[in-house]
Amino acid sequence: MRISGLAARLAHAAARMDSQKPRSYLGGRQSRDGARRARVRWIHQGAADTTSRGGRRGAAAPDDITTSLLRAQIDQRPLQDEEIVSIVRNWTVGELGTIAACVGILAHYLAEHPSLQQDLRAEPALLPDTIDEILRIHAPLITNRRVTTRPVEIGGRHIPAGQRITIMWASANRDEAVFGTPDECRPAQNAARNLLYGAGIHACPGAPLARLELRAIMQALLAHTRRISLVPGNPPVAEVYPGAGFASLPLRIE
C-alpha cells in the first residue's frame, strides 16, 4: 500500500527519526527515566545541529517535513527552537509511543473479552468504531498541558489568563455525566462524544493515519488467530504515569 502526500512525509520522517534514536530509547538497560532524558537530549541536539549548520537556519538540512518547521511562521515570526523541539517530540510520541500503547491496550481488552473477539472476526467492519471505543475506555494518552489565553470558569472554578493547566484526557473520556457507565463498550452510542483524538482546533492531525494503522494491525491479528488470552499467573504490568498502556503484556495467542 502506498501512502501519498502529507501522510507519506510524516511516515518517512518518523522512520528516519526512529533509525537515529539513541540506544536507551530503543530499549537498552537504562532506567525509564534515563531513557527519557537521553531522548530529550537527542531531540535538542538534533534541533541544534539542524539550525546551526552553515550559519543559516536549516541550510544543511534535508528537504522534508521536519525541516519545513524551520521555515514555518506563527504571527509573522519564525518558530523558536524550543517550539520546534516540542512539535518534533509530539510527532515522535504520537507515531511511535502512542501507537505501541494502543496496540497493547487493544490486545489486552480483546483478551479479556473473548466474545468481542469473535464478533470482530465475524464482522471486521465493526473494527473502526470498536477500536475508538476501547481506547476511550482505556486511554493511550493520559494528560496534556495548556496555558489559558483568557480568564475562564469551568465547573465553578475561576482560572485566570496565563495559568498553566493539565488536561486529563482519560478522565474526560470517562465522565459519568456524559457516558453514563463509562466502562461499558458501546461504540455506536459513544462515538460522537469520544475525545480520543481531541476536538475542535485541537483535533489530532494524525488521526486518519493512526486509525488506518490500528485497523490494519487489528485486522491482521484477528484474521490470523483463533484465540487471544491472558497468561494465568503472569499478569500484565501497567505503564507508569504519565505513560499509558502496559510495560509488560504476556499473551497467549493461538
Side-chain angles (χ1 to χ4, degrees), residues 56-73:
R56 185 168 63 86
R57 214 167 189 250
D63 185 18
D64 59 20
I65 191 167
T66 307
T67 307
S68 70
L69 293 174
L70 301 175
R71 299 187 291 269
Q73 292 196 353

Side-chain angles (χ1 to χ4, degrees), residues 136-241:
R136 177 196 67 77
I137 295 170
H138 187 160
L141 288 172
I142 304 300
T143 69
N144 208 332
R145 294 168 292 177
R146 293 284 187 270
V147 177
T148 53
T149 59
R150 59 182 175 83
V152 64
E153 186 171 311
I154 300 177
R157 178 168 179 174
H158 177 76
I159 304 174
Q163 178 69 50
R164 293 181 180 272
I165 61 174
T166 296
I167 299 172
M168 298 294 293
W169 296 119
S171 178
N173 251 350
R174 297 178 59 82
D175 187 346
E176 293 88 348
V178 176
F179 298 101
T181 49
D183 283 324
E184 288 188 16
C185 185
R186 301 184 298 175
Q189 295 91 326
N190 294 332
R193 295 165 291 183
N194 192 337
L195 295 175
L196 173 63
Y197 292 105
I201 63 170
H202 294 292
C204 175
L209 179 59
R211 286 187 166 113
L212 172 66
E213 291 174 338
L214 293 174
R215 184 173 73 247
I217 291 168
M218 298 314 295
Q219 279 179 338
L221 179 61
L222 291 170
H224 292 85
T225 60
R226 292 182 295 107
R227 185 183 178 210
I228 303 167
S229 58
L230 299 176
V231 179
N234 196 0
V237 177
E239 186 55 270
V240 177
Y241 176 86

Side-chain angles (χ1 to χ4, degrees), residues 92-117:
T92 308
V93 169
E95 174 63 23
L96 303 173
T98 306
I99 290 294
C102 286
V103 172
I105 290 167
L106 293 168
H108 176 262
Y109 193 90
L110 294 182
E112 287 194 321
H113 298 83
S115 61
L116 179 58
Q117 275 187 56

Side-chain angles (χ1 to χ4, degrees), residues 35-126:
R36 291 190 183 103
R37 285 194 295 271
R39 182 175 66 206
V40 170
R41 286 196 301 270
W42 169 72
I43 293 174
H44 275 278
Q45 186 59 52
D49 289 347
T50 300
T51 57
S52 63
R53 290 173 188 161
R56 185 168 63 86
R57 214 167 189 250
D63 185 18
D64 59 20
I65 191 167
T66 307
T67 307
S68 70
L69 293 174
L70 301 175
R71 299 187 291 269
Q73 292 196 353
I74 300 294
D75 296 331
Q76 297 184 340
R77 68 163 179 83
L79 293 174
Q80 299 175 4
D81 288 355
E82 292 79 5
E83 293 169 325
I84 293 174
V85 168
S86 177
I87 292 170
V88 172
R89 178 182 178 277
N90 274 320
W91 284 354
T92 308
V93 169
E95 174 63 23
L96 303 173
T98 306
I99 290 294
C102 286
V103 172
I105 290 167
L106 293 168
H108 176 262
Y109 193 90
L110 294 182
E112 287 194 321
H113 298 83
S115 61
L116 179 58
Q117 275 187 56
Q118 294 308 111
D119 291 342
L120 295 174
R121 287 190 180 95
E123 292 189 68
L126 298 175

